[in-house]
Amino acid sequence: MRAILPGKPQARLQAVSTAQWGALRLVVLLNTPFVSVAITNVLCNVKVYISGNGIIILGGPRDLLQTIYLEESSTLIAVTIDEATGKIATANPKEIYVYGPYGQEEGVLKWSFQCVIPREEQEPEHVSLSWGTDEELLIGSSSLRLFLTATEETEIWRRRLPKSVKLAEFSHDASLIASTGAYDRLIKLWKRQSSGADDTRFDFTYLPHPTAVTALHWRKNHTREHGSDHVLYTICKDQKIRVWAATDPHGVQGLQLWAAIDMQTSIQPRQLDLQSRSGDRFAFIIDSHDFTRVTGSIVQGIANSGSQQHHALEHLAEVAKSSPELCIVVDSHGHMSAWGLENVGCKTRKPTDVFNIAHIENFTLAFPDSESLADSNVQLLSFCRAQEDAQLTLLAHHFDGRIEWLECKFEELFDPAPQQQRVWRKTLWTGHEGSIKKIVRSISGKAVISRTNDNEAVIWRQGGYDTNVLGLSRYSLLDSPKHIFRSWIISEGDFVVNVHDQGVSIWDARSSPARCVDIVPFSLEGHVICLVQLPEQNPDSTTVHLAGITSQGNGIVWSILLPRRSHRSSGSQGSFGPSMEFFCAFQLDIEDHLAFMLPVDPAGAASWTSSSLDTFARDIAISYSPNGRLRTWTAGLDADKSLVRWLVTSTVETGIDNPSLASASSIRKAALVDRAKTGLTIWDMRSGQLEHDVQFHGLETIGDLDWSSTPDNQSLLAIGFPHRVVILAQMRYDYLSVGPAWAPIREINIKDSTPHPIGDSTWLGSGNLLVGAGNQLFVYDKTVDLSDEMISEFTVPVHKQGRLNLFDLVAFLNGPLPLFHPQFLSQCILVGKLVQVQSIIAGLQKALKFFTDGDELDSFVSMSPKDFIVQSTPVVGAKEMQPMAANMIDEAAEANFEEVAASLNENLIKVSIPQLTSREQIHLADMVECVSTVDKHRRSMDENAVRYLLFFRQHMIRKNQGPADRAGITFREIIWAYHSSSQEILVDLISRQFQGRMLWGQAKESGMFLWMTDLTALRAQFEVIARNEYTKTDEKNPIDCSLYYLALKKKSVLVGLWRMAAWNREQASTQRLLSNNFQEARWKTAALKNAYALLGKRRFEYAAAFFLLAGNLQDAVNVCLHQMRDLQLAVAVARVYEGDDGLVLRQLLEGKVLPQAALEGNRWLATWAFWMLGKRDMAVRSLISPVHTLVDAAEAPKIQARSYLANDPALVVLYKQLRGKTLKTLKGASQILPKDEWDFVIQNARLYDRMGCDLLALDLVRNWEFLLQPKDMPAKEEATPDPRKLLRRRSSLVVDDLSNPKSPTGMKTGMGKPPPQKVFEEPEANSLLDNFGF
């Protein structure tokens, strides 16, 4: 947290108290209507601030540590600290509360309730509190009462007064009390006659003054045993400081007037003009002990360092030798006069005992500019600290609702030479009286308005003198007599528009308080739910248009004429104020009900102008309907026709019913909260895809959403809960490791600081987050601690400070990847750039050869972007796929690359790459090993086999590293192998991977029974699995292989295995059963009975085997699919049992696989199923069109079907490969609208960009070739498209699979020797394209 605005301090004399408690400096402040305490020392600055009906404890001017709220909600009116014990006493109109410290020794300083003292009945509201010795507490009101608070509250003295006390204060040793009433010119000086719980007595005398006493101050003597050093300072309305001391200890009065300083005559400005003169005077005292100690410490420090002493410091050191008291007088124009009081209390005062130390200018404080006398008052309290950066701390309590924490150096404060600035503000405490309900920011984020339930508003601005370190200052106050429903800030806080019931008002906030300029009545059906500023065509226009939209979809536009910027000084309101009038009414064109509509959070560039109305225009609002339909809106003004046109720029069907909250940014990111307020989804409105779906568990519910973005348009989302804020940042898309697209990078918890729930929050333009809770505002800067657990796993640059800017962190997490990043290498392999991958590996090995920690590593490893946008060799049909060796290096280079890969992996073990995390570096080593392995076989494999083998090897390596990645490979890799002509080699390599003893679980990991297309080889491999399942245990159980042999229809083999299983108690009964003829109905029934009995015993695999024994393939497949939840086993059994033409397989694909693909949005699964069914045109279309539009599914798609994971950019590679393979695929491609293909390519380019693979995005859009659209479309839909009119390049062989539509088996592109196809025996001209276009 960088700063706190704890609320509006009270305008009371005892609203601020400070004391030195041991090594800690405590500052207690009374705030409307709260209390705070602040503690400071050299090592630890802790502040405690009383806020409302609670105590707020800060760990410095801007670090909040604790908030304790009183159950009584009455306004607190006084507070004080005991510098001996650290106790805090505070009072409201009914009771006095005492809090004691604890946990200081443990390093966790807190205050807890100790006791409560009831006030007297019919006592005036005002009360004065003062701590004495031995934990005595003096309470002054209609009487003076003294209590002991050591264990429990005990009253030890009481004195009824004829007039209520305004001020009552103990001397440093508690032997004297000075008290006075309101407008009283007499001070009663009470002298303790006796002490003790049973016998405490005071006697009093008077200290007369010519006018009413306004303030009093006892000199603090840090050695309490000296009772003769009593010095009292009083200030009267005659603006004189009077010094009272015990010059005659035996006198009647006790204290005598020793000296008087006229504050009016003590300041004589050098300028003669009247504007430089001020009649206001303010004063504070610096005790001699503090002044002498701090000055001596500074002089000693300079002497020890050997540096030259400042001439002003030499003068102060000379003054400090006589240990004077310092009386500082200032005026509201920055003039200051410092007076020294020497030998205070001597019987005979010399004229030189009161002397002037310095008269300086530019002692600038932010004095109130108010006509109210009460608001213009300022109370100054000071304390000294021996620090190099600041020796004097000054608390300026402005009665207009501010407290400044100011610091300065002695040598600069008292230097008579002109200086630009003598004091620096450390922080400013101000804010609201009531709880904050809403915070609205300006478009640029440089101004915000915070509003309470009581229609009290404060306009805050960045910049100006009245500014914290965080850059936020109170600009103006606004108090509306009518309830405010909506607010909007114009011209960075100069003007504010508020929507009320049946009226809208405009306020001029260039001075404080803001002034209501005009109220325009209106009448609309429904309540105004959205107030938004419309884009202007002319950026220099002085006219602003605001639209108010109701829940019924209708609204009004108001035109606001602003004064020119040259007339916007705060003093030129008069004739240059704003004006507002009705512009037009409108009705939104929507069919469904409007649940809510709100302005988007500005993100990215701050421009709010638009010259056109189209989908490229900037969004200004978002709406959502009860059925979860999100819409983003923009608008265009027509000043000539006095109308506004609204346009829906994007629509997303989220499927979330009755959402409770939504928010969007102007760069088309939207967040939606479900009905329970615990589920959050993040949507890309441009593509309509789901980016993040998360459920927050626990009792907290989501109450607020706020968007921000980096200058590069990378988004941030702040999610507000009652007591914490979670900040999510967008991440790179990761389709291979399926990493999250959004991740939490910071959590702000205010529960330890305040029990108030968060009312609202918003982002400032600087990147700071403003959070309102209760009547307090917390400002959190954008600095991120890299040691935070949330971001410890991210790749971040190393900083010595261990901290990083929030925007820089998000930009780094989303920027372009280094070429050697595992994700970039994987994507390069998918798009067929294996040569470039080898070059990257070789370049990285060369760069790391002499690399040491601290060196910079080139992200491009000496490669050029041109190397990645070269036109790739087009992929041809399966039979004609050429080995990749044609484009590769020779054998010598092959051997050399193996050495390079091995050398690089050795370096990766020794060297830490700064651009990668440790996990990513491990994955890079795995990738290098996989590429080296694939490189050995590249001469005998096509591109698809290379893709599959590389990711299969990568999966096996990661599987052996830990349990995190033990799931099988995905359908993406299965598709590559399915469309490979090198399947025989892949099967052999996979078998070697498992030492020739591959079981079903391992085969399932490889997915081979989904991608093998030669049925003969498929059955042979299935028999290998059966044999390995039988021999996997020493006992060789026939049950383990029953399903496999029965699927192969080799019952005789199974009978032989049972004959050898003498150890199995089921041997005899099973042999008798298997010896029967299962073609007979009797034995079929027996097999079915056994199958159902096994289902009841949950022996599912054995039950499926008995279904096969009964000839019931459908039930066997159902058991594999539903009970065993093994789709691969169900497909394998169906294919092995009845081939690829079987009815059961078709029903499985059409009734289960395709609906599942539609439900999940799985395009890879859909294209595989369509291709298996022989619907090659649909297989191509499913790569672009939503799967649920191609399949008749009973259920609506899941929300995950809209996920960005369903739009893998590798789909564009497969689409490009398949569309020109056969006439059917060309037909499917021709049925895709050109606009859909365009959107598909552009969307994939965006995906590459979001993944950090910008070079691949550039390569895609630069080299993509769209199908030519024939001028004369075929008359019939079934007509064969002419390939010569579709393909731009004519280097591919196109198979004619339309003239001979056979079973799916005959259309596979598999290994082995498939049945000869007629088209290849005598190819016709229309079925073959060569390079010459014949």
Side-chain angles (χ1 to χ4, degrees), residues 846-865:
K846 183 178 179 181
L848 293 182
K849 193 172 184 180
F850 303 102
F851 182 84
T852 58
D853 290 341
D855 293 348
E856 291 188 4
L857 186 62
D858 181 17
S859 296
F860 276 82
V861 288
S862 302
M863 293 191 68
S864 170

PDB file of all heavy atoms in Angstrom, residues 846-865:
ATOM      1  N   LYS A 846      25.689 -22.176 -29.502  1.00  0.00           N
ATOM      2  CA  LYS A 846      26.831 -21.296 -29.732  1.00  0.00           C
ATOM      3  C   LYS A 846      26.827 -20.133 -28.752  1.00  0.00           C
ATOM      4  O   LYS A 846      27.885 -19.719 -28.248  1.00  0.00           O
ATOM      5  CB  LYS A 846      26.778 -20.786 -31.167  1.00  0.00           C
ATOM      6  CG  LYS A 846      27.962 -19.918 -31.560  1.00  0.00           C
ATOM      7  CD  LYS A 846      27.859 -19.498 -33.021  1.00  0.00           C
ATOM      8  CE  LYS A 846      29.043 -18.618 -33.406  1.00  0.00           C
ATOM      9  NZ  LYS A 846      28.944 -18.187 -34.825  1.00  0.00           N
ATOM     10  N   ALA A 847      25.628 -19.590 -28.452  1.00  0.00           N
ATOM     11  CA  ALA A 847      25.544 -18.447 -27.530  1.00  0.00           C
ATOM     12  C   ALA A 847      25.874 -18.845 -26.105  1.00  0.00           C
ATOM     13  O   ALA A 847      26.423 -18.044 -25.335  1.00  0.00           O
ATOM     14  CB  ALA A 847      24.150 -17.823 -27.602  1.00  0.00           C
ATOM     15  N   LEU A 848      25.535 -20.087 -25.719  1.00  0.00           N
ATOM     16  CA  LEU A 848      25.778 -20.524 -24.348  1.00  0.00           C
ATOM     17  C   LEU A 848      27.179 -21.089 -24.134  1.00  0.00           C
ATOM     18  O   LEU A 848      27.538 -21.414 -23.002  1.00  0.00           O
ATOM     19  CB  LEU A 848      24.749 -21.599 -23.949  1.00  0.00           C
ATOM     20  CG  LEU A 848      23.293 -21.156 -23.832  1.00  0.00           C
ATOM     21  CD1 LEU A 848      22.423 -22.326 -23.383  1.00  0.00           C
ATOM     22  CD2 LEU A 848      23.140 -19.999 -22.860  1.00  0.00           C
ATOM     23  N   LYS A 849      27.921 -21.186 -25.202  1.00  0.00           N
ATOM     24  CA  LYS A 849      29.251 -21.803 -25.097  1.00  0.00           C
ATOM     25  C   LYS A 849      30.146 -21.035 -24.137  1.00  0.00           C
ATOM     26  O   LYS A 849      30.882 -21.625 -23.344  1.00  0.00           O
ATOM     27  CB  LYS A 849      29.880 -21.889 -26.480  1.00  0.00           C
ATOM     28  CG  LYS A 849      31.103 -22.777 -26.544  1.00  0.00           C
ATOM     29  CD  LYS A 849      31.559 -22.958 -27.974  1.00  0.00           C
ATOM     30  CE  LYS A 849      32.738 -23.921 -28.060  1.00  0.00           C
ATOM     31  NZ  LYS A 849      33.194 -24.115 -29.465  1.00  0.00           N
ATOM     32  N   PHE A 850      30.075 -19.691 -24.206  1.00  0.00           N
ATOM     33  CA  PHE A 850      30.891 -18.856 -23.321  1.00  0.00           C
ATOM     34  C   PHE A 850      30.015 -17.954 -22.450  1.00  0.00           C
ATOM     35  O   PHE A 850      30.442 -16.889 -22.041  1.00  0.00           O
ATOM     36  CB  PHE A 850      31.868 -18.007 -24.144  1.00  0.00           C
ATOM     37  CG  PHE A 850      32.776 -18.812 -25.040  1.00  0.00           C
ATOM     38  CD1 PHE A 850      32.525 -18.907 -26.398  1.00  0.00           C
ATOM     39  CD2 PHE A 850      33.853 -19.503 -24.510  1.00  0.00           C
ATOM     40  CE1 PHE A 850      33.350 -19.658 -27.219  1.00  0.00           C
ATOM     41  CE2 PHE A 850      34.682 -20.258 -25.332  1.00  0.00           C
ATOM     42  CZ  PHE A 850      34.434 -20.334 -26.690  1.00  0.00           C
ATOM     43  N   PHE A 851      28.785 -18.393 -22.198  1.00  0.00           N
ATOM     44  CA  PHE A 851      27.835 -17.578 -21.440  1.00  0.00           C
ATOM     45  C   PHE A 851      28.072 -17.743 -19.945  1.00  0.00           C
ATOM     46  O   PHE A 851      28.332 -18.841 -19.449  1.00  0.00           O
ATOM     47  CB  PHE A 851      26.392 -18.003 -21.784  1.00  0.00           C
ATOM     48  CG  PHE A 851      25.336 -17.202 -21.097  1.00  0.00           C
ATOM     49  CD1 PHE A 851      24.909 -15.999 -21.620  1.00  0.00           C
ATOM     50  CD2 PHE A 851      24.752 -17.657 -19.915  1.00  0.00           C
ATOM     51  CE1 PHE A 851      23.914 -15.254 -20.998  1.00  0.00           C
ATOM     52  CE2 PHE A 851      23.767 -16.927 -19.280  1.00  0.00           C
ATOM     53  CZ  PHE A 851      23.351 -15.722 -19.828  1.00  0.00           C
ATOM     54  N   THR A 852      28.004 -16.619 -19.221  1.00  0.00           N
ATOM     55  CA  THR A 852      28.105 -16.647 -17.761  1.00  0.00           C
ATOM     56  C   THR A 852      26.945 -15.857 -17.178  1.00  0.00           C
ATOM     57  O   THR A 852      26.318 -15.042 -17.873  1.00  0.00           O
ATOM     58  CB  THR A 852      29.434 -16.033 -17.279  1.00  0.00           C
ATOM     59  OG1 THR A 852      29.531 -14.679 -17.772  1.00  0.00           O
ATOM     60  CG2 THR A 852      30.627 -16.840 -17.766  1.00  0.00           C
ATOM     61  N   ASP A 853      26.658 -16.095 -15.904  1.00  0.00           N
ATOM     62  CA  ASP A 853      25.559 -15.391 -15.246  1.00  0.00           C
ATOM     63  C   ASP A 853      25.792 -13.892 -15.289  1.00  0.00           C
ATOM     64  O   ASP A 853      26.889 -13.404 -14.987  1.00  0.00           O
ATOM     65  CB  ASP A 853      25.443 -15.850 -13.792  1.00  0.00           C
ATOM     66  CG  ASP A 853      24.943 -17.278 -13.701  1.00  0.00           C
ATOM     67  OD1 ASP A 853      24.367 -17.748 -14.696  1.00  0.00           O
ATOM     68  OD2 ASP A 853      25.147 -17.916 -12.643  1.00  0.00           O
ATOM     69  N   GLY A 854      24.743 -13.170 -15.650  1.00  0.00           N
ATOM     70  CA  GLY A 854      24.846 -11.712 -15.769  1.00  0.00           C
ATOM     71  C   GLY A 854      24.977 -11.236 -17.188  1.00  0.00           C
ATOM     72  O   GLY A 854      24.726 -10.055 -17.475  1.00  0.00           O
ATOM     73  N   ASP A 855      25.368 -12.130 -18.106  1.00  0.00           N
ATOM     74  CA  ASP A 855      25.465 -11.741 -19.510  1.00  0.00           C
ATOM     75  C   ASP A 855      24.070 -11.638 -20.118  1.00  0.00           C
ATOM     76  O   ASP A 855      23.117 -12.269 -19.663  1.00  0.00           O
ATOM     77  CB  ASP A 855      26.286 -12.769 -20.300  1.00  0.00           C
ATOM     78  CG  ASP A 855      27.744 -12.795 -19.875  1.00  0.00           C
ATOM     79  OD1 ASP A 855      28.134 -11.863 -19.134  1.00  0.00           O
ATOM     80  OD2 ASP A 855      28.464 -13.723 -20.270  1.00  0.00           O
ATOM     81  N   GLU A 856      23.969 -10.830 -21.163  1.00  0.00           N
ATOM     82  CA  GLU A 856      22.717 -10.719 -21.907  1.00  0.00           C
ATOM     83  C   GLU A 856      22.682 -11.776 -22.993  1.00  0.00           C
ATOM     84  O   GLU A 856      23.680 -12.019 -23.677  1.00  0.00           O
ATOM     85  CB  GLU A 856      22.580  -9.320 -22.519  1.00  0.00           C
ATOM     86  CG  GLU A 856      22.359  -8.218 -21.493  1.00  0.00           C
ATOM     87  CD  GLU A 856      22.042  -6.890 -22.158  1.00  0.00           C
ATOM     88  OE1 GLU A 856      21.929  -6.865 -23.406  1.00  0.00           O
ATOM     89  OE2 GLU A 856      21.910  -5.892 -21.434  1.00  0.00           O
ATOM     90  N   LEU A 857      21.532 -12.398 -23.144  1.00  0.00           N
ATOM     91  CA  LEU A 857      21.356 -13.452 -24.143  1.00  0.00           C
ATOM     92  C   LEU A 857      20.385 -12.961 -25.207  1.00  0.00           C
ATOM     93  O   LEU A 857      19.248 -12.579 -24.907  1.00  0.00           O
ATOM     94  CB  LEU A 857      20.828 -14.722 -23.479  1.00  0.00           C
ATOM     95  CG  LEU A 857      20.724 -15.956 -24.377  1.00  0.00           C
ATOM     96  CD1 LEU A 857      22.085 -16.358 -24.909  1.00  0.00           C
ATOM     97  CD2 LEU A 857      20.099 -17.120 -23.612  1.00  0.00           C
ATOM     98  N   ASP A 858      20.828 -12.967 -26.453  1.00  0.00           N
ATOM     99  CA  ASP A 858      20.010 -12.510 -27.570  1.00  0.00           C
ATOM    100  C   ASP A 858      18.824 -13.441 -27.751  1.00  0.00           C
ATOM    101  O   ASP A 858      18.984 -14.655 -27.920  1.00  0.00           O
ATOM    102  CB  ASP A 858      20.866 -12.463 -28.839  1.00  0.00           C
ATOM    103  CG  ASP A 858      20.072 -11.962 -30.038  1.00  0.00           C
ATOM    104  OD1 ASP A 858      19.000 -11.363 -29.825  1.00  0.00           O
ATOM    105  OD2 ASP A 858      20.530 -12.169 -31.182  1.00  0.00           O
ATOM    106  N   SER A 859      17.611 -12.871 -27.701  1.00  0.00           N
ATOM    107  CA  SER A 859      16.404 -13.691 -27.850  1.00  0.00           C
ATOM    108  C   SER A 859      16.279 -14.281 -29.242  1.00  0.00           C
ATOM    109  O   SER A 859      15.576 -15.267 -29.446  1.00  0.00           O
ATOM    110  CB  SER A 859      15.158 -12.855 -27.524  1.00  0.00           C
ATOM    111  OG  SER A 859      15.175 -12.450 -26.179  1.00  0.00           O
ATOM    112  N   PHE A 860      16.962 -13.693 -30.235  1.00  0.00           N
ATOM    113  CA  PHE A 860      16.881 -14.185 -31.617  1.00  0.00           C
ATOM    114  C   PHE A 860      18.041 -15.116 -31.949  1.00  0.00           C
ATOM    115  O   PHE A 860      18.067 -15.675 -33.045  1.00  0.00           O
ATOM    116  CB  PHE A 860      16.874 -13.016 -32.596  1.00  0.00           C
ATOM    117  CG  PHE A 860      15.517 -12.413 -32.804  1.00  0.00           C
ATOM    118  CD1 PHE A 860      15.018 -11.502 -31.911  1.00  0.00           C
ATOM    119  CD2 PHE A 860      14.738 -12.779 -33.889  1.00  0.00           C
ATOM    120  CE1 PHE A 860      13.758 -10.942 -32.085  1.00  0.00           C
ATOM    121  CE2 PHE A 860      13.483 -12.230 -34.078  1.00  0.00           C
ATOM    122  CZ  PHE A 860      12.980 -11.311 -33.171  1.00  0.00           C
ATOM    123  N   VAL A 861      18.988 -15.277 -31.025  1.00  0.00           N
ATOM    124  CA  VAL A 861      20.174 -16.126 -31.222  1.00  0.00           C
ATOM    125  C   VAL A 861      20.723 -15.996 -32.648  1.00  0.00           C
ATOM    126  O   VAL A 861      20.921 -16.986 -33.368  1.00  0.00           O
ATOM    127  CB  VAL A 861      19.889 -17.599 -30.860  1.00  0.00           C
ATOM    128  CG1 VAL A 861      19.761 -17.776 -29.364  1.00  0.00           C
ATOM    129  CG2 VAL A 861      18.638 -18.112 -31.550  1.00  0.00           C
ATOM    130  N   SER A 862      20.910 -14.734 -33.030  1.00  0.00           N
ATOM    131  CA  SER A 862      21.551 -14.388 -34.316  1.00  0.00           C
ATOM    132  C   SER A 862      20.727 -14.777 -35.531  1.00  0.00           C
ATOM    133  O   SER A 862      21.249 -14.839 -36.644  1.00  0.00           O
ATOM    134  CB  SER A 862      22.945 -15.030 -34.421  1.00  0.00           C
ATOM    135  OG  SER A 862      23.761 -14.609 -33.342  1.00  0.00           O
ATOM    136  N   MET A 863      19.442 -15.053 -35.364  1.00  0.00           N
ATOM    137  CA  MET A 863      18.583 -15.341 -36.505  1.00  0.00           C
ATOM    138  C   MET A 863      17.804 -14.093 -36.894  1.00  0.00           C
ATOM    139  O   MET A 863      17.655 -13.153 -36.110  1.00  0.00           O
ATOM    140  CB  MET A 863      17.623 -16.480 -36.187  1.00  0.00           C
ATOM    141  CG  MET A 863      18.308 -17.826 -35.985  1.00  0.00           C
ATOM    142  SD  MET A 863      17.134 -19.191 -35.920  1.00  0.00           S
ATOM    143  CE  MET A 863      16.524 -19.227 -37.605  1.00  0.00           C
ATOM    144  N   SER A 864      17.271 -14.107 -38.096  1.00  0.00           N
ATOM    145  CA  SER A 864      16.525 -12.964 -38.614  1.00  0.00           C
ATOM    146  C   SER A 864      15.052 -13.328 -38.736  1.00  0.00           C
ATOM    147  O   SER A 864      14.712 -14.489 -39.010  1.00  0.00           O
ATOM    148  CB  SER A 864      17.084 -12.561 -39.983  1.00  0.00           C
ATOM    149  OG  SER A 864      16.235 -11.615 -40.607  1.00  0.00           O
ATOM    150  N   PRO A 865      14.160 -12.352 -38.545  1.00  0.00           N
ATOM    151  CA  PRO A 865      12.731 -12.650 -38.764  1.00  0.00           C
ATOM    152  C   PRO A 865      12.421 -13.166 -40.162  1.00  0.00           C
ATOM    153  O   PRO A 865      11.445 -13.903 -40.351  1.00  0.00           O
ATOM    154  CB  PRO A 865      12.058 -11.292 -38.499  1.00  0.00           C
ATOM    155  CG  PRO A 865      13.005 -10.564 -37.608  1.00  0.00           C
ATOM    156  CD  PRO A 865      14.369 -10.991 -38.022  1.00  0.00           C
TER     157      PRO A 865
END
